[in-house]
Amino acid sequence: MNFASTTDYVATAAADRRTGFFAHHGMWAPGVRLFRLLSFRSKAILISGLFLIPLFLLGAVYLRQVSDHLALTEREQTGLAYAREVLPLLPLLQQQRQWLIRQAGVETLGAEVGAVGEDLARQRQRIAALDAVHGERLRTTELLGVLQANIDKATPKAGMNPLAAYKRQTQAIEAALGQTEQARAHLRR
């Protein structure tokens, strides 16, 4: 191919571009030709429909975010309600542990331990009722079993080994803290 034929080819291609399909409208030429064929009503419907697509997409994203926020709020309320019931166990268990330390080696139990024991029993019932409803979702049922077992083993009895009782009380307190931590961890999921 010589130089003259190359320049003729380029000139012919440029002329075709000026007079061809994309001559005046460039890449928009197919749309322009389509719009020339449509009536005004069809054009208005098409344009309105195209504007509604992003509107519906943004609406769907917004509703999904609102739904996610509502679910998070519900989880937070459930976790906080659970923690509100577990946290009162801590001072009761600590009172019982302090009483055990003061009463080490004593053969008879004082009235104070009975009152704390009754308060502990009421609080345990409230936690068990709440765990029956929300335990599976919060994943606290297994921890509740550990907590209940440790509280049962740590219940003061006459002539009880003070060191063993102190250790069981500490385990019960740690189990109560574990319950609270599990409920708190559920808030972040």
Side-chain angles (χ1 to χ4, degrees):
M1 193 180 236
N2 63 22
F3 180 70
S5 64
T6 306
T7 55
D8 289 340
Y9 174 75
V10 172
T12 306
D16 286 344
R17 266 186 269 135
R18 284 191 299 269
T19 60
F21 185 74
F22 294 100
H24 298 292
H25 302 292
M27 68 179 213
W28 302 108
V32 170
R33 287 193 180 185
L34 173 67
F35 265 61
R36 285 182 185 161
L37 297 174
L38 296 175
S39 68
F40 178 78
R41 183 175 181 192
S42 301
K43 290 176 191 177
I45 290 171
L46 180 65
I47 289 173
S48 297
L50 291 175
F51 276 114
L52 287 177
I53 291 171
L55 185 66
F56 284 129
L57 290 175
L58 289 173
V61 168
Y62 172 74
L63 290 176
R64 184 171 188 173
Q65 286 180 341
V66 167
S67 174
D68 290 347
H69 287 295
L70 287 174
L72 175 64
T73 301
E74 183 182 335
R75 285 194 316 265
E76 286 175 342
Q77 288 176 340
T78 302
L80 289 173
Y82 198 90
R84 235 180 261 121
E85 293 299 328
V86 173
L87 286 176
L89 277 179
L90 295 174
L92 293 171
L93 289 169
Q94 288 173 343
Q95 284 176 354
Q96 201 174 52
R97 185 169 64 176
Q98 288 172 354
W99 182 87
L100 283 171
I101 292 169
R102 285 193 309 252
Q103 300 296 320
V106 176
E107 292 298 319
T108 59
L109 297 175
E112 181 182 332
V113 76
V116 171
E118 290 172 10
D119 291 343
L120 266 172
R122 279 192 297 275
Q123 198 63 33
R124 286 172 64 180
Q125 288 174 347
R126 288 200 294 264
I127 293 169
L130 192 61
D131 196 75
V133 176
H134 301 293
E136 187 175 319
R137 194 168 70 187
L138 292 173
R139 297 184 186 107
T140 55
T141 304
E142 183 179 327
L143 289 173
L144 179 63
V146 172
L147 174 64
Q148 300 282 26
N150 281 321
I151 290 175
D152 288 341
K153 291 176 186 174
T155 301
K157 297 168 187 67
M160 185 177 210
N161 179 354
L163 187 57
Y166 182 85
K167 181 180 176 183
R168 291 292 182 194
Q169 288 288 338
T170 302
Q171 289 172 343
I173 290 169
E174 288 171 356
L177 289 172
Q179 289 283 98
T180 307
E181 177 59 30
Q182 181 65 30
R184 187 184 70 78
H186 179 71
L187 299 178
R188 291 180 263 152
R189 291 185 198 124

mmCIF file of all heavy atoms in Angstrom, residues 105-109 157-162:
data_model
loop_
_atom_site.group_PDB
_atom_site.id
_atom_site.type_symbol
_atom_site.label_atom_id
_atom_site.label_comp_id
_atom_site.label_asym_id
_atom_site.label_seq_id
_atom_site.Cartn_x
_atom_site.Cartn_y
_atom_site.Cartn_z
ATOM 1 N N GLY A 105 -15.990 -20.288 110.024
ATOM 2 C CA GLY A 105 -15.851 -21.187 111.147
ATOM 3 C C GLY A 105 -17.027 -21.185 112.103
ATOM 4 O O GLY A 105 -17.057 -21.972 113.042
ATOM 5 N N VAL A 106 -17.997 -20.314 111.915
ATOM 6 C CA VAL A 106 -19.157 -20.267 112.802
ATOM 7 C C VAL A 106 -20.109 -21.380 112.406
ATOM 8 O O VAL A 106 -20.349 -21.630 111.235
ATOM 9 C CB VAL A 106 -19.853 -18.882 112.711
ATOM 10 C CG1 VAL A 106 -21.109 -18.851 113.553
ATOM 11 C CG2 VAL A 106 -18.885 -17.795 113.136
ATOM 12 N N GLU A 107 -20.668 -22.052 113.388
ATOM 13 C CA GLU A 107 -21.529 -23.199 113.132
ATOM 14 C C GLU A 107 -22.964 -22.812 112.805
ATOM 15 O O GLU A 107 -23.682 -23.565 112.163
ATOM 16 C CB GLU A 107 -21.525 -24.135 114.354
ATOM 17 C CG GLU A 107 -20.193 -24.822 114.575
ATOM 18 C CD GLU A 107 -19.788 -25.723 113.409
ATOM 19 O OE1 GLU A 107 -20.641 -26.431 112.863
ATOM 20 O OE2 GLU A 107 -18.610 -25.689 113.037
ATOM 21 N N THR A 108 -23.436 -21.636 113.207
ATOM 22 C CA THR A 108 -24.822 -21.251 112.951
ATOM 23 C C THR A 108 -24.848 -20.106 111.954
ATOM 24 O O THR A 108 -23.966 -19.251 111.939
ATOM 25 C CB THR A 108 -25.512 -20.804 114.251
ATOM 26 O OG1 THR A 108 -24.789 -19.694 114.785
ATOM 27 C CG2 THR A 108 -25.565 -21.926 115.262
ATOM 28 N N LEU A 109 -25.882 -20.089 111.157
ATOM 29 C CA LEU A 109 -26.029 -19.036 110.155
ATOM 30 C C LEU A 109 -26.877 -17.910 110.726
ATOM 31 O O LEU A 109 -27.865 -18.155 111.411
ATOM 32 C CB LEU A 109 -26.707 -19.603 108.898
ATOM 33 C CG LEU A 109 -25.929 -20.704 108.167
ATOM 34 C CD1 LEU A 109 -26.766 -21.258 107.036
ATOM 35 C CD2 LEU A 109 -24.617 -20.178 107.647
ATOM 36 N N LYS A 157 -23.916 -22.726 104.080
ATOM 37 C CA LYS A 157 -24.460 -23.780 104.943
ATOM 38 C C LYS A 157 -23.640 -23.784 106.228
ATOM 39 O O LYS A 157 -22.480 -23.403 106.217
ATOM 40 C CB LYS A 157 -24.362 -25.141 104.245
ATOM 41 C CG LYS A 157 -25.191 -25.233 102.969
ATOM 42 C CD LYS A 157 -24.829 -26.478 102.181
ATOM 43 C CE LYS A 157 -25.491 -26.529 100.846
ATOM 44 N NZ LYS A 157 -25.080 -25.538 99.895
ATOM 45 N N ALA A 158 -24.242 -24.226 107.290
ATOM 46 C CA ALA A 158 -23.540 -24.264 108.573
ATOM 47 C C ALA A 158 -22.335 -25.192 108.459
ATOM 48 O O ALA A 158 -22.413 -26.276 107.888
ATOM 49 C CB ALA A 158 -24.483 -24.745 109.668
ATOM 50 N N GLY A 159 -21.198 -24.756 108.988
ATOM 51 C CA GLY A 159 -19.974 -25.550 109.003
ATOM 52 C C GLY A 159 -19.292 -25.642 107.640
ATOM 53 O O GLY A 159 -18.394 -26.459 107.454
ATOM 54 N N MET A 160 -19.672 -24.818 106.701
ATOM 55 C CA MET A 160 -19.118 -24.844 105.348
ATOM 56 C C MET A 160 -17.666 -24.373 105.367
ATOM 57 O O MET A 160 -17.311 -23.479 106.127
ATOM 58 C CB MET A 160 -19.972 -23.937 104.463
ATOM 59 C CG MET A 160 -19.622 -23.918 103.019
ATOM 60 S SD MET A 160 -20.812 -22.843 102.176
ATOM 61 C CE MET A 160 -20.842 -23.622 100.616
ATOM 62 N N ASN A 161 -16.834 -24.982 104.546
ATOM 63 C CA ASN A 161 -15.436 -24.567 104.420
ATOM 64 C C ASN A 161 -15.416 -23.150 103.837
ATOM 65 O O ASN A 161 -15.855 -22.948 102.711
ATOM 66 C CB ASN A 161 -14.691 -25.546 103.512
ATOM 67 C CG ASN A 161 -13.238 -25.165 103.312
ATOM 68 O OD1 ASN A 161 -12.781 -24.121 103.755
ATOM 69 N ND2 ASN A 161 -12.523 -26.038 102.634
ATOM 70 N N PRO A 162 -14.907 -22.172 104.583
ATOM 71 C CA PRO A 162 -14.959 -20.777 104.124
ATOM 72 C C PRO A 162 -14.185 -20.552 102.819
ATOM 73 O O PRO A 162 -14.625 -19.792 101.965
ATOM 74 C CB PRO A 162 -14.339 -19.972 105.252
ATOM 75 C CG PRO A 162 -14.182 -20.894 106.392
ATOM 76 C CD PRO A 162 -14.345 -22.281 105.911
#
